[in-house]
Amino acid sequence: MTEYPHIVGIGGTTRPGSSTEMLVRAILAECGARGAETTMFAGAELLALPHYNPGDPTRTDGQRALVDAARRADGFVIGTPGYHGSVSALVKNAIDLLEDTRTDDARVYMDGCPVGLVVSAAGWQATGVTLSALRDIIHALRGWPTPIGIGVNTIVQRPFDDEGRIADESIAGAVRMQAGQIMDHVSGTRMRKQAV
């Protein structure tokens, strides 16, 4: 266990600086302000990952970096655009790579870790169903989705201003709340481990 909690962000699109990526970064920044070490795997890093192939054990440097960061993580933030009612292939491919941890002794997958979830989409239907799909994926990986999931409808909400600051106070409040839930869960988990 590291001295500072380690929170790993995974998310974005093929477009650098997408609203999805910026939202994940905003939550990581809040976690950092609360004492966490953070690592981000954004669209560019995710795009460079080969398709996950369980039959081929060879891994690129990027794949190893993501899995190594996940192994050290105390918590996660995962952000995806809502594409046709579900998680983007770019983000799902990165999540699938965590199958490499299935036989780990220390921790399998995301077992016991808090996971903040973020979805941005062009409409509320895509936002809602994608957030639900992402929650199911995290449950399958034994993670604990935070009570607050962040869904942003980019048709009716402008998440960021021209300087990259959160422009909508309801989104800013949700970012702070999600970061707080992640860090509170991590603190509680660490206290329980120390008491054992």
Side-chain angles (χ1 to χ4, degrees):
M1 197 176 334
T2 57
E3 181 181 352
Y4 299 102
H6 181 217
I7 311 300
V8 172
I10 299 170
T13 71
T14 55
R15 183 174 59 80
S18 68
S19 58
T20 306
E21 176 184 327
M22 291 175 67
L23 285 162
V24 173
R25 288 188 186 279
I27 297 160
L28 290 181
E30 279 290 326
C31 290
R34 296 167 187 251
E37 169 197 349
T38 65
T39 303
M40 177 70 185
F41 293 89
E45 291 89 359
L46 302 183
L47 188 58
L49 298 176
H51 288 295
Y52 172 67
N53 179 356
D56 182 0
T58 59
R59 296 289 178 255
T60 65
D61 290 343
Q63 288 174 311
R64 281 191 296 275
L66 190 148
V67 173
D68 289 347
R71 284 182 168 131
R72 293 187 301 111
D74 297 294
F76 296 84
V77 180
I78 298 182
T80 182
Y83 286 167
H84 309 114
S86 196
V87 178
S88 75
L90 192 71
V91 173
K92 184 63 166 60
N93 184 54
I95 294 170
D96 288 345
L97 191 56
L98 300 185
E99 184 65 14
D100 283 2
T101 69
R102 73 186 175 284
T103 58
D104 286 5
D105 292 329
R107 186 187 71 222
V108 174
Y109 306 132
M110 298 175 167
D111 192 20
C113 292
V115 185
L117 304 178
V118 177
V119 175
S120 61
W124 288 121
Q125 181 177 352
T127 302
V129 296
T130 303
L131 187 58
S132 179
L134 194 50
R135 284 187 186 279
D136 289 343
I137 292 167
I138 299 311
H139 284 146
L141 291 169
R142 307 180 192 177
W144 292 86
T146 56
I148 187 166
I150 299 175
V152 175
N153 179 347
T154 56
I155 297 296
V156 297
Q157 294 172 291
R158 183 175 182 230
F160 297 93
D161 64 20
D162 294 336
E163 282 75 46
R165 295 180 300 243
I166 297 178
D168 185 308
E169 183 49 40
S170 67
I171 294 173
V175 164
R176 289 190 297 270
M177 188 178 295
Q178 187 176 98
Q181 290 175 351
I182 292 167
M183 296 301 290
D184 287 348
H185 189 293
V186 167
S187 296
T189 302
R190 285 175 163 235
M191 287 174 60
R192 285 190 297 275
K193 286 180 179 176
Q194 290 170 356
V196 173

